[in-house]
Amino acid sequence: MKYIHHLLFLLVILLSACNRSQDSGNKVYIGGQIVNPNTHYVILAKNEKNLDTLFLNQKNQFGAEYESLQEGIYTLRHNPENQVIYVEPGDSVLVWSNTLQFDKSMNFSGRGSEKSSFLLDLFLKNEKNNDLILSYYKFNPEKFSRITDSIKAQRMDMLQDLDDQQKFSENFIDIARTVIDYEYYDLRERYTFLIGKYNTQFADEIPEDFHDYRDDIDFNNEALQDYTVYTNLIDDYLRSKSIEDCNTGENRDKECFELGNYHNIRRRIILIDSLTTLPYLKHEFLDQLVTRGIIMSKNQDRVDSILEVLEEINYRNMEEAEDLALIHRNFFEGTSIKENQLINTSKQLVTYGNIINKPSVIFIWSLYAPSHYKWQHNNIKNLRKKYPDINFIGVNIDQDETEKWLRVISSNNYNKDYEYQISNREVSKEVFRKYIYKTFFVNSNSIIIDADAKLYNSNFEKELLEFLNQ
C-alpha cells in the first residue's frame, strides 16, 4: 500500500487534531509532515499573500488552528515546491509529502480532506495530459473531440460519485466542475498548437465551432488563480492566440510558432494585460513573459522595445525589468566575456579568459532551483561523454553563498574542474535568478556565439554540432 510507513503518524496527529476541533465550530486545522524538507517551514498562502509560516519541529511536522479561514483554495508552499489545499470551516486537514516526489507523494487525510485530494488528483491527471496530447494531436479533430469528450465525462462522473459519498458544499462543486471544464478547454488549446505546428493537414479540418468554449473562459476567476490547471489553460490560450494573430496570411509562417520570438512574447504581454483585472494573476504571467522577453532578446533594440511595451501598460515591476536588461546587455551574441570574473572551487578569482581554451557551453544554475540544477547537471554529464572537444562550464549565481554552493557540488559529486560561481553582480540575486535558464555557446576566444541556446530543446545537440563545426 502507498506510503504505509507514514500512516501511523497520520493517525496520531489526526486524532490530536480532531480532539482539538471537536468543539471548535468553524475553526480550521491544517497540519502534516514533510519528509526530506528543503527548508524548516511551510507557508500557507492565498494569491500573493503569505498568511502564515508553519515551522517544522524535530520530526518535520507542522500544524496550526485558524479561527476564520474562508472556504476556498489555499496554497502550501515549501520552497521551491507548492501545492493547493481546499478548506472550509470545520475542516481538519493533514498533509504528508516527500520532497523527492513532492506532488506524486502528497497525501491528504482528515475531516474535509477529500476536497484537496480531488483537486490534487485532477492536477496529476492534467500533468499526464502533457504526454497524452503528444498522441492525441496525431488524430483528426473529430476523433480528438470524441476522446476528450470521454475524458471530461469520466471526470464529471468521478466528481458525482464522490459528492454522493461526501456531500460537498455547493461552492466546491462549482469550482470542481469549472476545473474539469478548463482542463477540457486546455486540451483543445494544446491540440490547436500542435497540429498547427506539426500536423497542418488536420489544422484545415478544425470545425468553426471548435473554439466556441473560449467565450466561457473567465479570465478573472479569483477563486482559481492559485490553481495550476487554471493557469495552464490561460498560458496555452495566450500561446494559441498570439500565434493566430500572427498567422493570418494564406501561408503559415513558422516563425509565428517560435514562442521565444520577440514578437510572440510582445503579443502575449499585451494580451494578458487586456484580459484580466486580477493583479496577482496578471503580474504572475507578466513577470514570466517579461523575463523571457528580455533574456531572449538578441540585441539592445529588442530589449528597449520590451521595456517600451511595459511602460505603456504601467508594469509594476519596471525596476526589476530594467535590472534584468542591465544583466542581459553583457551577454548579447558577439560580446566578449574574457575579462568577466568568477570564483573557482578553491575560492580563487579567475576570468573566463583563464578557463576557456576551446569551444565551451556555459550553463547557469542556482541553489534555489534544486530540481532544475539536478536536471541540468545530469544532462551535462551525458553530453561531456559524447562531446569531449567541448568544455561544459557550470556557473552558479548565488554570490555570497559560496560554502553552500561548495557543499552542493560535493554532495552531488559534480566535477569541480568545471564549476564556478559569479564574483560580483550589478543587481539583486532575486533578479539574477531569473537568468538560470540561460545557456551560452562561447568560442575559444571567450566570445559569445549563441546567447539563446536551450538545453531543454530537442534540437540542442544538433545546434551543438553546428557550433562545434564552425
Side-chain angles (χ1 to χ4, degrees):
M1 289 183 289
K2 186 180 180 182
Y3 304 111
I4 193 169
H5 61 280
H6 74 278
L7 292 180
L8 182 59
F9 155 75
L10 290 176
L11 179 61
V12 171
I13 197 169
L14 176 60
L15 290 173
S16 176
C18 288
N19 288 337
R20 281 194 293 271
S21 301
Q22 280 179 346
D23 301 315
S24 60
N26 290 333
K27 292 181 181 179
V28 171
Y29 180 81
I30 298 174
Q33 184 180 43
I34 304 292
V35 177
N36 298 311
N38 298 318
T39 65
H40 62 285
Y41 58 86
V42 172
I43 292 175
L44 178 68
K46 191 169 182 63
N47 303 333
E48 60 185 333
K49 294 181 180 178
N50 293 338
L51 304 180
D52 196 10
T53 300
L54 307 175
F55 291 96
L56 305 182
N57 63 18
Q58 292 182 337
K59 296 182 180 180
N60 298 326
Q61 300 167 4
F62 65 94
E65 194 169 64
Y66 300 95
E67 297 281 348
S68 56
L69 279 187
Q70 295 182 344
E71 180 177 1
I73 292 175
Y74 294 80
T75 300
L76 288 176
R77 306 189 192 281
H78 184 70
N79 188 40
E81 309 286 358
N82 64 78
Q83 189 53 262
V84 299
I85 182 172
Y86 192 101
V87 296
E88 59 186 89
D91 283 350
S92 183
V93 181
L94 295 173
V95 185
W96 186 93
S97 183
N98 188 326
T99 61
L100 298 180
Q101 285 191 309
F102 188 78
D103 297 320
K104 292 181 180 178
S105 70
M106 185 164 284
N107 186 283
F108 294 101
S109 59
R111 184 185 302 121
S113 63
E114 296 82 9
K115 300 183 291 290
S116 297
S117 295
F118 181 80
L119 292 181
L120 174 62
D121 190 37
L122 284 183
F123 164 79
L124 294 174
K125 283 182 168 61
N126 187 254
E127 289 285 289
K128 289 181 180 179
N129 288 343
N130 292 330
D131 296 324
L132 292 175
I133 196 67
L134 295 178
S135 298
Y136 294 166
Y137 87 91
K138 297 174 184 176
F139 303 140
N140 63 36
E142 183 180 353
K143 184 174 182 180
F144 171 82
S145 295
R146 288 199 304 271
I147 293 172
T148 51
D149 286 348
S150 176
I151 289 174
K152 181 181 176 181
Q154 290 171 13
R155 305 281 197 265
M156 288 294 187
D157 288 344
M158 181 173 68
L159 176 62
Q160 185 61 58
D161 289 344
L162 281 172
D163 186 38
D164 290 342
Q165 300 170 31
Q166 304 296 332
K167 305 300 179 186
F168 291 134
S169 68
E170 193 172 312
N171 185 61
F172 178 75
I173 290 294
D174 288 343
I175 285 178
R177 285 175 176 161
T178 300
V179 169
I180 293 170
D181 283 339
Y182 284 177
E183 180 196 26
Y184 174 72
Y185 301 161
D186 190 32
L187 283 169
R188 293 200 163 205
E189 293 296 336
R190 296 191 214 183
Y191 176 78
T192 301
F193 170 74
L194 288 171
I195 65 169
K197 187 171 183 178
Y198 301 111
N199 214 354
T200 54
Q201 72 269 25
F202 288 154
D204 296 327
E205 296 180 24
I206 291 181
E208 290 185 8
D209 62 353
F210 190 80
H211 294 116
D212 282 357
Y213 64 85
R214 287 178 173 175
D215 294 334
D216 297 325
I217 300 175
D218 179 5
F219 294 96
N220 291 291
N221 193 317
E222 188 171 2
L224 287 177
Q225 59 183 329
D226 267 332
Y227 191 43
T228 304
V229 177
Y230 175 55
T231 55
N232 280 348
L233 166 62
I234 296 177
D235 191 30
D236 290 327
Y237 172 83
L238 294 176
R239 179 180 64 183
S240 297
K241 282 293 293 178
S242 68
I243 292 169
E244 288 172 15
D245 292 344
C246 169
N247 206 16
T248 54
E250 292 183 5
N251 298 317
R252 291 188 174 88
D253 186 351
K254 289 184 178 180
E255 192 172 291
C256 292
F257 289 86
E258 295 299 326
L259 302 182
N261 178 283
Y262 154 77
H263 296 289
N264 184 292
I265 291 174
R266 187 179 185 277
R267 284 192 295 273
R268 281 184 280 167
I269 287 174
I270 294 171
L271 191 56
I272 190 61
D273 181 65
S274 67
L275 285 174
T276 182
T277 59
L278 295 174
Y280 172 70
L281 185 67
K282 175 183 290 191
H283 287 283
E284 280 289 292
F285 278 100
L286 283 177
D287 290 347
Q288 295 171 27
L289 290 168
V290 168
T291 297
R292 203 174 309 167
I294 291 175
I295 69 175
M296 289 185 175
S297 293
K298 293 185 179 295
N299 54 54
Q300 191 61 46
D301 288 341
R302 290 292 194 229
V303 173
D304 291 342
S305 296
I306 291 289
L307 294 178
E308 287 172 9
V309 173
L310 301 183
E311 288 177 351
E312 291 173 11
I313 65 172
N314 295 316
Y315 179 55
R316 69 178 183 181
N317 292 330
M318 196 66 195
E319 186 175 343
E320 283 192 10
E322 291 169 344
D323 283 347
L324 191 60
L326 186 65
I327 300 172
H328 189 58
R329 73 180 183 184
N330 298 312
F331 297 101
F332 292 129
E333 291 176 11
T335 301
S336 173
I337 57 173
K338 187 174 184 177
E339 302 303 322
N340 292 25
Q341 291 187 325
L342 301 165
I343 299 171
N344 64 20
T345 52
S346 298
K347 302 182 184 178
Q348 299 169 325
L349 273 179
V350 296
T351 65
Y352 281 107
N354 297 144
I355 65 175
I356 292 178
N357 55 14
K358 61 181 180 179
S360 301
V361 172
I362 298 172
F363 63 100
I364 312 297
W365 65 280
S366 171
L367 300 166
Y368 295 92
S371 59
H372 184 63
Y373 74 65
K374 289 175 183 177
W375 174 84
Q376 284 175 298
H377 281 83
N378 185 57
N379 278 271
I380 292 297
K381 182 179 179 180
N382 295 327
L383 289 170
R384 279 199 182 110
K385 295 176 182 177
K386 294 176 69 173
Y387 303 98
D389 293 332
I390 298 177
N391 274 339
F392 292 88
I393 299 170
V395 177
N396 175 266
I397 62 172
D398 301 298
Q399 183 186 0
D400 302 327
E401 298 184 72
T402 301
E403 297 303 326
K404 186 174 182 180
W405 165 62
L406 291 173
R407 285 197 300 272
V408 168
I409 290 173
S410 294
S411 63
N412 288 282
N413 294 314
Y414 296 152
N415 192 324
K416 293 183 179 181
D417 292 337
Y418 301 102
E419 295 292 343
Y420 298 87
Q421 188 178 59
I422 61 170
S423 63
N424 58 71
R425 60 171 180 262
E426 299 175 78
V427 301
S428 70
K429 61 183 179 182
E430 287 74 23
V431 172
F432 217 121
R433 281 174 189 155
K434 294 182 179 182
Y435 227 66
I436 64 173
Y437 299 102
K438 292 295 286 184
T439 305
F440 303 99
F441 292 169
V442 181
N443 70 14
S444 57
N445 295 317
S446 303
I447 294 174
I448 296 175
I449 302 302
D450 188 347
D452 196 28
K454 300 177 183 66
L455 186 57
Y456 55 82
N457 195 318
S458 59
N459 293 323
F460 183 78
E461 289 195 55
K462 179 183 177 183
E463 295 171 357
L464 200 59
L465 287 170
E466 291 173 356
F467 165 60
L468 189 59
N469 293 323
Q470 285 182 350

